[in-house]
Amino acid sequence: MTAEPVAAPIPLTPNQPRSFYRDSGAIARFRRTAPTGDGYRPEDWVASTTSRFARSPAGLTTLPGGIRLADAVAADPGAWLGPEHTAAYGADTGLLVKLLDAGQRLPLHTHPDRAFACAHLGSAHGKTEAWYVLDAAPGAEVRLGFARDVTARELAGWVAAGDAGAMLDAVHRVPVAPGDALLCPAGMPHAIGAGVLLVELQEPTDFSVLLEWEGFAIDGAAEGHLGLGFDLALGGVDRRGLSAAALDRLRGPGAAVGTGSVLPPGADPYFRAELCRGEPAAALDAGFSVLVCLTGAGTLTCTSGPPLDVAEGQTVLVPHAAGPTRLSGPVTALRCRPPAPGR
């Protein structure tokens, strides 16, 4: 199939590959779409050029014309990503955006950093990620980072014994509420708690190392170590204790920013997330981005195509070729972007 010329923003439909943990139906409620039905579709992979680990093509976004986004970008990276981006990063979007609905607490897990991924997984990307909370049940929390130094032997023993209680007791509990934003650096153990709906920005990989898996629909002993074996895979875990001050530096301003970046400065080398409000109208510079419409309804206009009506729950892919765009009306959106060239 031949890629068509790209210019105007593109509304995207849900793209929810099956996973090993449960959803609550929150993505369908947010997007105002029909529920998936089987209860194991907790992630919507938005504008994805990334496939599930060892399960391609699951996870890849297919555009309205039937071509996969990954193929369209490869065929015309300049139009999709822009000359500055392609000069810095090639035909690599550098970004994966998800809607994530934790119908149950996720298992404690971690993701390799770039150095580990390059050395052992043949990838220039690790999996640093960040979360912008859309909704959270009363008392909802995430677990993030060991509260004290953990030895390699201690961690290996916990994983081998399936001692989830000991591991969970050793990590920080972080209460979350709508509008909160957190950075989760690669290597850091973490788990998103039940009852949380969020937008996740991440490096474009599907690399996860499970530290627990009892009660989840996965054979963690076989699938939880990226095919590397746990002896090697656990070498990518950040076992250092995370101080209260360091934990605080992982918090971004979130919704309190009003407009602008919701993430802390530590996210800048990996991705950007900006809160945009249509009243007064928001002028958005040209560049590859994903808009997640958070509240209200409005209009996205550009010079390369007709105005696009947007509303809460919609996701829109904006190629560089769309040029400068304008968001107007009583609408709020999160603009998710790759890192700025040179970061």
Side-chain angles (χ1 to χ4, degrees), residues 4-11 79-80 284-288 300-308 316-326:
E4 297 181 2
V6 58
I10 304 168
W80 282 98
L284 310 179
D285 60 317
F288 178 88
L300 183 67
T301 57
C302 67
T303 58
S304 58
L308 177 67
V316 180
L317 172 57
V318 183
H320 181 274
T325 56
R326 184 174 180 268

Side-chain angles (χ1 to χ4, degrees), residues 237-341:
V237 178
D238 186 348
R239 296 179 285 100
R240 297 171 296 177
L242 184 69
S243 70
L247 179 60
D248 191 59
R249 288 192 293 272
L250 298 179
R251 290 184 177 274
V257 75
T259 58
S261 177
V262 302
L263 300 177
D268 291 347
Y270 303 99
F271 32 65
R272 294 170 284 173
E274 302 152 357
L275 203 58
C276 305
R277 300 184 186 276
E279 291 185 336
L284 310 179
D285 60 317
F288 178 88
S289 64
V290 174
L291 288 183
V292 180
C293 296
L294 306 180
T295 61
T299 304
L300 183 67
T301 57
C302 67
T303 58
S304 58
L308 177 67
D309 291 333
V310 295
E312 178 180 342
Q314 286 186 306
T315 57
V316 180
L317 172 57
V318 183
H320 181 274
T325 56
R326 184 174 180 268
L327 183 68
S328 60
V331 61
T332 302
L334 189 69
R335 188 188 192 197
C336 306
R337 310 177 73 183

